[in-house]
Amino acid sequence: FEPNVKDGAFVSEEVEQERRQLLDVIDSEYNEKRIYANGRMIEIMCADEVFGVKRYGTAEKIKETTAQSLYLTWQNLLKTAVIEIMYIGDSAPDKAVEVFTETFSKMNRQPASLHTEVIREAGDIKRETEAVDVSQAKLVMGFRAGVAVPEKEITATALMCAILGGTANSKLFCNVREKQSLCYYCAARYDKDKGIIVIDSGVEGENIEKLEAGILKEIDDMKNGVISDFEIDSAKMAIINAYQGSNDTVGGIESWFARQLLQDGFRTIEEESALLSAVTREEIIAAANKLTLDTVYVLKNK
């Protein structure tokens, strides 16, 4: 609440230092092609949505900011931001509650309303290919999952995604990578708040089309009920083990509850594990049938 301010602005030297560091982060993402490819796919898929804007904006906007504009933004942030405070430790939180309550009571707070735009079904498939100097091509596919927070079906969708490409026993890992040798890696992840599933992979240029076809076949198999008991049980076990690992560190505990901020209330690890264990084969198949392909992004060698 008391930043280093001079004449109604942040200190220019400090601003320039942070500006340089943030621009370096953007440059480093371009150099890390897996991160870059995932980011580009999201930008294309969600071009008309706020979700398509990176959390730190663009290099152009970063260069345009001034010490004064940043200070005004900070003041607006204190007034309008939705603020969640987590206290994790071995002593009572009473003092922390007292300090934050007293400090914020001095401000004219007008918190913004939170809203996440969820598009249930993809329209025409968007395709983009970019050619750069890269030794390993990247194929990133974005799907609309049709399910998002706070709907109860998010648990079945998360399990479906894990069976598809979220564990070492997943279909994409065992079939597409190991048996067919179509890629170096292939993984699926589900953003339950946004309602999208992203599948990203590293592949030789000549195998890009075969890999896309292989991924889509695994999804079609799931839609048609080709899912073994072993795949379901091992995915449940892997997810629950990951849940339980959240309790091992302070950061893990924080992350566990931070992931639930947009949900309707919080669940414990035991409650979440029980919900996951109760998911049926029929619910997994139903979740797979909601998947629609939205965007295909390819980063290949010149």
Side-chain angles (χ1 to χ4, degrees):
F1 293 94
E2 297 177 0
N4 194 10
V5 174
K6 184 177 181 181
D7 298 328
F10 287 130
V11 178
S12 296
E13 293 81 5
E14 295 176 359
V15 170
E16 292 309 316
Q17 179 178 327
E18 295 300 327
R19 192 197 312 275
R20 175 179 53 78
Q21 291 179 353
L22 200 50
L23 290 172
D24 284 346
V25 169
I26 293 177
D27 287 341
S28 68
E29 283 196 358
Y30 179 76
N31 294 329
E32 180 50 65
K33 291 300 186 282
R34 183 175 185 178
I35 296 175
Y36 174 76
N38 274 273
R40 285 290 297 130
M41 196 286 295
I42 292 294
E43 287 177 348
I44 297 162
M45 180 177 180
C46 305
D48 299 324
E49 305 159 57
V50 178
F51 194 80
V53 180
K54 289 190 176 180
R55 64 186 184 277
Y56 40 68
T58 64
E60 291 73 26
K61 289 292 184 182
I62 293 168
K63 292 173 183 176
E64 289 174 8
T65 57
T66 66
Q68 185 176 32
S69 70
L70 289 176
Y71 180 59
L72 293 174
T73 300
W74 165 247
Q75 290 180 311
N76 184 60
L77 193 69
L78 289 180
K79 179 180 178 181
T80 63
V82 175
I83 298 173
E84 304 281 352
I85 300 170
M86 293 192 181
Y87 182 91
I88 304 169
D90 58 1
S91 56
D94 304 18
K95 183 62 178 176
V97 172
E98 178 186 331
V99 169
F100 282 110
T101 301
E102 180 184 355
T103 307
F104 279 106
S105 67
K106 301 171 185 174
M107 305 184 63
N108 177 25
R109 292 269 298 150
Q110 297 175 3
S113 60
L114 289 179
H115 171 71
T116 300
E117 184 179 3
V118 176
I119 296 176
R120 301 284 167 182
E121 192 172 340
D124 294 336
I125 298 173
K126 297 185 281 288
R127 292 182 177 272
E128 183 161 324
T129 298
E130 190 174 350
V132 298
D133 289 325
V134 61
S135 58
Q136 182 188 110
K138 310 295 180 188
L139 170 67
V140 189
M141 304 171 71
F143 297 79
R144 302 289 181 178
V147 176
V149 168
E151 298 159 74
K152 63 182 179 64
E153 290 86 359
I154 59 173
T155 304
T157 304
L159 180 57
M160 179 273 295
C161 184
I163 294 170
L164 175 62
T167 74
N169 293 309
S170 68
K171 288 180 176 293
L172 295 181
F173 184 87
C174 293
N175 298 334
V176 176
R177 181 186 184 275
E178 295 295 296
K179 292 180 181 177
Q180 301 173 49
S181 300
L182 287 176
C183 56
Y184 297 101
Y185 63 85
C186 192
R189 66 183 184 280
Y190 172 44
D191 187 320
K192 64 183 180 182
D193 295 312
K194 181 62 178 169
I196 64 176
I197 285 178
V198 176
I199 298 177
D200 80 308
S201 49
V203 57
E204 291 290 343
E206 62 268 22
N207 286 332
I208 293 173
E209 291 183 5
K210 292 179 183 177
L211 175 58
E212 180 181 335
I215 291 170
L216 293 176
K217 181 187 181 301
E218 297 302 326
I219 293 173
D220 283 340
D221 282 351
M222 293 191 74
K223 289 181 176 182
N224 292 319
V226 183
I227 309 170
S228 69
D229 290 339
F230 171 76
E231 288 173 323
I232 295 173
D233 293 340
S234 62
K236 285 182 177 180
M237 189 181 304
I239 295 174
I240 291 172
N241 282 342
Y243 284 172
Q244 293 170 342
S246 299
N247 254 342
D248 293 343
T249 64
V250 171
I253 295 169
E254 180 188 12
S255 295
W256 174 260
F257 290 103
R259 288 197 297 268
Q260 302 182 60
L261 282 175
L262 298 182
Q263 292 181 195
D264 184 17
F266 295 96
R267 296 194 194 104
T268 64
I269 290 173
E270 291 72 25
E271 290 169 336
E272 199 70 53
S273 298
L275 284 175
L276 185 79
S277 297
V279 173
T280 65
R281 172 190 299 274
E282 290 70 29
E283 289 172 322
I284 296 168
I285 296 170
N289 275 281
K290 287 188 173 72
L291 276 184
T292 53
L293 178 58
D294 186 291
T295 302
V296 178
Y297 172 79
V298 174
L299 183 69
K300 68 178 185 178
N301 193 3
K302 287 181 179 179

